Amino acid sequence: MITNFNIYRIGRILLASLFVISGIFKIMGFAGTVAYFTGLGLPMPTVAVLVTILVEVGGGLLLMTGRGVKPVALIIALFTVGATISAHHFWNLDGAAAQAQLTHFLKNVSIIGALLLVSSIDQEAAPERR
């Protein structure tokens, strides 16, 4: 159920914009992104970057335009879980570096929560009458 479809739509677009913009920057800096993924120790970093771009740009645009919202939000949420665990090892760091990675980790946990909320909303249900 959605009580204010315009607010829901704006929130969904803002949430999706994070992924679309991030994916576009990965395309623009493809070689650097592959090098970064290699440094993270990810297997087949070039393939991982291509999959990441597909999820971020493709999934983000679908989420932004309201197409396949439930499954797309779940896919992006699962992707974000993997990205968070792969890239933000705050537990292996000290001082400011640990704090910075913890902040990124917690930000991603919040984004995962927002994606789960979006995936749980029935866009077709009528608003509740109180």
Side-chain angles (χ1 to χ4, degrees), residues 8-91:
Y8 170 74
R9 182 181 296 131
I10 290 167
R12 197 186 66 230
I13 290 168
L14 291 172
L15 180 61
S17 69
L18 167 74
F19 294 98
V20 173
I21 292 166
S22 182
I24 289 169
F25 275 100
K26 285 177 178 69
I27 293 168
M28 292 170 36
F30 190 83
T33 305
V34 171
Y36 174 68
F37 279 34
T38 301
L40 291 174
L42 296 177
M44 300 186 301
T46 302
V47 174
V49 171
L50 291 171
V51 170
T52 297
I53 290 168
L54 177 66
V55 171
E56 289 183 343
V57 176
L61 288 172
L62 288 171
L63 188 62
M64 192 177 276
T65 59
R67 289 176 175 78
V69 170
K70 286 181 177 239
V72 168
L74 286 173
I75 289 166
I76 297 172
L78 288 172
F79 162 81
T80 305
V81 168
T84 302
I85 292 168
S86 298
H88 301 299
H89 304 145
F90 66 91
W91 53 88

Side-chain angles (χ1 to χ4, degrees), residues 98-117:
Q99 184 60 49
Q101 289 304 314
L102 176 61
T103 299
H104 288 300
F105 186 93
L106 294 174
K107 169 199 45 102
N108 284 7
V109 169
S110 297
I111 292 166
I112 293 163
L115 288 161
L116 292 176
L117 284 171

Side-chain angles (χ1 to χ4, degrees), residues 1 3 127-130:
M1 170 195 60
T3 58
E128 247 180 51
R129 303 283 181 215
R130 293 186 190 241

